Amino acid sequence: MDFPDIFTSEIASKMTDRINRLSLNTKPQWGKMNCPQMLAHCNVAYEMIYDQKHKKPNFLMALFIKAFVKDIVVSNKPYKHNSPTAPAFVIKGERDFDSEKKRLVDYIDKTEKLGSSSFENKESLSFGRLNLNEWNNMLYKHLDHHLTQFGV
């Protein structure tokens, strides 16, 4: 694995511990989102895995995403600060801190309980089939980036 294994209880617990250090008033070190918006933003990645809330990109958009975005998201290269985000991940308006935090912790717990075997060669809504390392990179890197953004 390029990043710590998000599918293990040890790493899932560490991420949950970091989330639990956040408060409603935790300020970002960069970017425009407040803490509840960031939590909602992080939940989108899991909504795309577990919920039927988001539409699959059309053929042309899927080609563009696979050609220009996929490697940025699933590679072992950390995200740059203030990088652009996909429209589905843009969170506008106020969000409830406690409910967004609970949802994110529940998604992390569900992912860990399902385990890595559930993700090998699993289809991503935006990127097609991903191997286990790509899933791990995508999930861990995104969470780590935003938790670091908020100093935890």
Side-chain angles (χ1 to χ4, degrees):
M1 296 281 171
D2 290 325
F3 287 99
D5 189 346
I6 194 73
F7 302 106
T8 66
S9 60
E10 176 189 1
I11 300 305
S13 291
K14 285 181 180 181
M15 294 306 241
T16 298
D17 290 344
R18 290 171 70 186
I19 292 165
N20 286 329
R21 292 199 311 259
L22 295 167
S23 75
L24 175 63
N25 299 315
T26 304
K27 302 290 184 217
Q29 297 177 13
W30 71 85
K32 299 174 185 174
M33 291 186 286
N34 63 32
C35 195
Q37 288 170 328
M38 177 275 290
L39 293 169
H41 168 88
C42 289
N43 279 322
V44 172
Y46 292 96
E47 290 169 357
M48 289 182 168
I49 297 168
Y50 299 119
D51 305 330
Q52 303 302 314
K53 186 175 181 175
H54 301 276
K55 287 198 270 183
K56 194 171 186 171
N58 66 40
F59 179 76
L60 288 176
M61 183 56 76
L63 283 176
F64 174 81
I65 290 170
K66 287 178 187 176
F68 297 105
V69 179
K70 179 181 176 182
D71 189 54
I72 295 167
V73 174
V74 303
S75 74
N76 62 357
K77 297 174 193 154
Y79 293 125
K80 296 176 182 173
H81 296 184
N82 298 311
S83 297
T85 191
F89 286 82
V90 174
I91 305 298
K92 295 182 179 179
E94 292 305 311
R95 297 299 174 108
D96 181 73
F97 173 79
D98 291 325
S99 64
E100 294 298 341
K101 179 177 155 184
K102 181 181 181 335
R103 283 191 333 125
L104 185 55
V105 168
D106 288 348
Y107 280 135
I108 293 167
D109 185 54
K110 180 176 184 172
T111 302
E112 183 262 318
K113 282 186 172 51
L114 284 171
S116 59
S117 61
S118 296
F119 284 82
E120 182 62 52
N121 207 32
K122 180 178 176 63
E123 187 166 351
S124 158
L125 188 68
S126 301
F127 305 123
R129 296 209 176 273
L130 300 177
N131 66 42
L132 182 58
N133 193 55
E134 290 170 324
W135 275 109
N136 185 68
N137 286 352
M138 179 172 64
L139 293 173
Y140 183 89
K141 178 169 68 169
H142 189 238
L143 274 175
D144 181 63
H145 173 79
H146 289 294
L147 294 175
T148 300
Q149 176 187 13
F150 281 79
V152 296

